[in-house]
Amino acid sequence: MLALMLCLFAAPASAAEITVDQASIEASNPGYRLSLAFSFELNRGLEDALTRGVPLYFTTEVQMTRHRWYWFDETNVSASRTVRISYNVLTRQYHTAISGQLQQSFSTLEDAMALVRRPPRWLIVDTNTLKQGDTYTVGVRMRLDVAQLPKPFQINALNNSDWRLSSDWIEFTYKPE
């Protein structure tokens, strides 16, 4: 019994991490679009849950603030977008949906995860919101949103490090021209 307990506690309990490979803002006709690329792998527990019919929700959050010397920083943009990935056992297809807009089906998990890792460009703000010439600090992160899981899995996610998948906030500056 003691040997079994030592084996269980000796294994490192590392939470998987999402890294932000690329983040940039592009000016377009209707506004400013955010282009992102992430890199991460699903651990075995998340893959098992997905293939058993539990959808996974990955939420990307973005904040744009403008520094003010006389008061707190002004938050100009605070937005989020969720990508849902699910598996249909009958058709053996993976389905992705981006905040109810874009829905696609894939035959392999790797193809479906490519959409999660590199989502399409996202219109985060219209052209009238940002002031030309001002410098903005942009913060971006992605996380597995356990609040959208079914209730029994939410309880399991609190106790299990396999369900903790997130990136740190990364920040960069952007100056609209």
Side-chain angles (χ1 to χ4, degrees), residues 58-152:
F58 293 94
T59 300
T60 304
E61 297 169 308
V62 60
Q63 291 184 346
M64 289 183 78
T65 57
R66 185 173 57 93
H67 178 71
R68 296 189 292 194
W69 64 271
Y70 58 90
W71 196 245
F72 297 112
D73 291 347
E74 176 186 23
T75 301
N76 296 83
V77 175
S78 183
S80 67
R81 180 170 73 173
T82 302
V83 178
R84 179 181 56 85
I85 183 170
S86 60
Y87 180 70
N88 188 326
V89 179
L90 295 175
T91 61
R92 295 184 183 185
Q93 295 242 331
Y94 292 91
H95 302 282
T96 59
I98 298 177
S99 298
Q101 300 169 353
L102 174 69
Q103 296 183 5
Q104 286 183 290
S105 297
F106 300 95
S107 58
T108 65
L109 176 60
E110 197 56 39
D111 292 342
M113 288 302 296
L115 182 69
V116 176
R117 290 183 191 116
R118 190 156 180 84
R121 293 182 306 147
W122 166 30
L123 184 65
I124 56 169
V125 63
D126 62 352
T127 54
N128 299 331
T129 304
L130 302 182
K131 296 178 183 174
Q132 302 293 324
D134 284 351
T135 302
Y136 294 88
T137 301
V138 182
V140 176
R141 81 169 177 170
M142 178 189 255
R143 63 185 169 83
L144 176 65
D145 195 356
V146 294
Q148 294 190 31
L149 293 172
K151 294 294 181 192

